[in-house]
Amino acid sequence: AQKITQTQPGMFVQEKEAVTLDCTYDTSDPSYGLFWYKQPSSGEMIFLIYQGSYDQQNATEGRYSLNFQKARKSANLVISASQLGDSAMYFCAMREGSFGNEKLTFGTGTRLTIIP
Amino acid sequence: KAGVTQTPRYLIKTRGQQVTLSCSPISGHRSVSWYQQTPGQGLQFLFEYFSETQRNKGNFPGRFSGRQFSNSRSEMNVSTLELGDSALYLCASSLKTGEGNTEAFFGQGTRLTVV
């Protein structure tokens, strides 16, 4: 079974609209972390937001928020007021366990295109 | 504060050659991980180093190796290059480990082309 599933290969969104990128995960470990990264065409992986499995509140970072639904094993990224510069690949990733494991497992990504 | 630095940014090598990629983590970060990104396989974990020791290894052949120095800088080596090794190689650094989940920051990557 896939540990990280991103079901939207591509999305087109009008500028200034909000967009939700889906991510579901699969783990039996009670301690884990969920990450979202943005990868522009230049290749660099830009860290956007992080949610720990024990965090009580949904993470927010500026225009980015993570809709964390633990029971559903869902960690969707919400981008408010989208901008042209948001056009990029977006990856959801998970790190399992809390000690001695820095390995990230990535989803297949969603290519987001913002339309002016 | 400087980010994660990977050198070189681009490399072209011939089949059968070997290559060494370098990664300097964010100052104070002690964990360095390497990933391979290809259109077909996506992002795959290669290995992770912490305090000069390899702690985790992905499912890659022994041609892929790495090391970490006392200043936390890491190198990755690929010997006997194959065409399929053409990829973007990304390095990530983390501040804390063993103290719960923490953020991981990536460098710009090294794009390796094997011809």
Side-chain angles (χ1 to χ4, degrees), chain A residues 19 21 36 48-49 51 58-68 75-80:
Chain A
V19 57
L21 305 182
W36 276 95
L48 295 178
I49 197 165
Q51 179 86 42
N58 286 347
T60 60
E61 290 283 352
R63 293 186 301 113
Y64 305 106
S65 60
L66 199 151
N67 184 1
F68 182 45
N76 297 340
L77 176 71
V78 180
I79 306 174
S80 63

Side-chain angles (χ1 to χ4, degrees), chain A residues 31-110:
Chain A
S31 177
Y32 54 89
L34 296 158
F35 302 74
W36 276 95
Y37 289 90
K38 172 184 177 181
Q39 188 178 42
S41 55
S42 61
E44 181 181 6
M45 294 286 280
I46 302 169
F47 168 78
L48 295 178
I49 197 165
Y50 164 80
Q51 179 86 42
S53 59
Y54 295 118
D55 293 343
Q56 295 297 312
Q57 294 187 319
N58 286 347
T60 60
E61 290 283 352
R63 293 186 301 113
Y64 305 106
S65 60
L66 199 151
N67 184 1
F68 182 45
Q69 298 188 41
K70 197 169 183 176
R72 297 179 59 187
K73 294 190 174 179
S74 162
N76 297 340
L77 176 71
V78 180
I79 306 174
S80 63
S82 58
Q83 303 170 356
L84 295 178
D86 294 333
S87 293
M89 281 290 289
Y90 288 80
F91 290 95
C92 178
M94 177 173 64
R95 177 196 287 147
E96 296 173 275
S98 60
F99 182 78
N101 177 34
E102 299 293 320
K103 172 186 174 182
L104 291 172
T105 302
F106 286 86
T108 52
T110 296

Side-chain angles (χ1 to χ4, degrees), chain B residues 24-84:
Chain B
S24 293
I26 293 171
S27 177
H29 285 199
R30 296 168 65 193
S31 171
V32 174
S33 300
W34 290 88
Y35 294 82
Q36 182 197 63
Q37 185 178 25
T38 60
Q41 300 297 319
L43 281 147
Q44 293 186 288
F45 172 78
L46 280 156
F47 29 65
E48 184 238 338
Y49 286 86
F50 177 75
S51 292
E52 302 178 63
T53 302
Q54 186 183 90
R55 292 199 308 179
N56 247 320
K57 191 177 191 305
N59 189 25
F60 278 82
R63 300 185 298 106
F64 292 81
S65 63
R67 59 177 175 169
Q68 186 180 36
F69 302 94
S70 58
N71 61 358
S72 293
R73 189 177 71 86
S74 176
E75 287 183 347
M76 190 192 96
N77 184 276
V78 187
S79 62
T80 319
L81 284 166
E82 301 176 0
L83 295 178

